Amino acid sequence: MQKNIICVACPMGCGITVELSDSGEILSVTGNTCPRGAEYAKSEATAPVRTVTSTVRALGGMRPVVAVKTVPDVPKGKIFAVMDAVRALEVKAPVHIGDILCENIADTGSNLVAAADLDAE
């Protein structure tokens, strides 16, 4: 089996081809111009992950929401479960960049952290 991937590890945007065995084992990676591209393509072909960014409702803050992101990235197939958990979450101000707002969100092993400061009213 063959997967064609456009690399996003750097601005080059290489077209990378990953050749997989029937069992999903990587046989070859071609088309990358740097080692980061090869690693990205291997990960994307076997276990794709994404950073989820969103906002969470904030109570008593200068704004009604605070920006958040997942750390580390979550499996691509769990994005909808993560977003369901994000929609159900409310936090109280103040919030500081890096604060963990939800540990192990949606059983992904990733934390939801604040990506911005939010002062209390």
Side-chain angles (χ1 to χ4, degrees), residues 1-96:
M1 174 172 38
Q2 186 176 343
K3 289 194 176 189
N4 296 311
I5 296 168
I6 301 297
C7 182
V8 297
C10 79
M12 294 287 293
C14 297
I16 301 176
T17 300
V18 180
E19 193 73 35
L20 300 165
S21 69
D22 291 338
S23 64
E25 183 180 330
I26 295 173
L27 301 174
S28 68
V29 177
T30 57
N32 56 297
T33 57
C34 70
R36 288 187 313 167
E39 290 306 311
Y40 170 78
K42 289 175 186 177
S43 171
E44 190 66 13
T46 58
V49 293
R50 299 290 186 270
T51 299
V52 175
T53 61
S54 188
T55 56
V56 168
R57 284 187 295 268
L59 306 174
M62 297 297 287
R63 294 181 312 277
V65 295
V66 63
V68 295
K69 68 177 185 173
T70 52
V71 177
D73 296 344
V74 299
K76 188 175 174 183
K78 292 270 194 160
I79 291 173
F80 289 111
V82 168
M83 286 307 301
D84 287 342
V86 167
R87 279 190 288 279
L89 192 61
E90 286 184 340
V91 297
K92 291 183 181 178
V95 176
H96 303 286

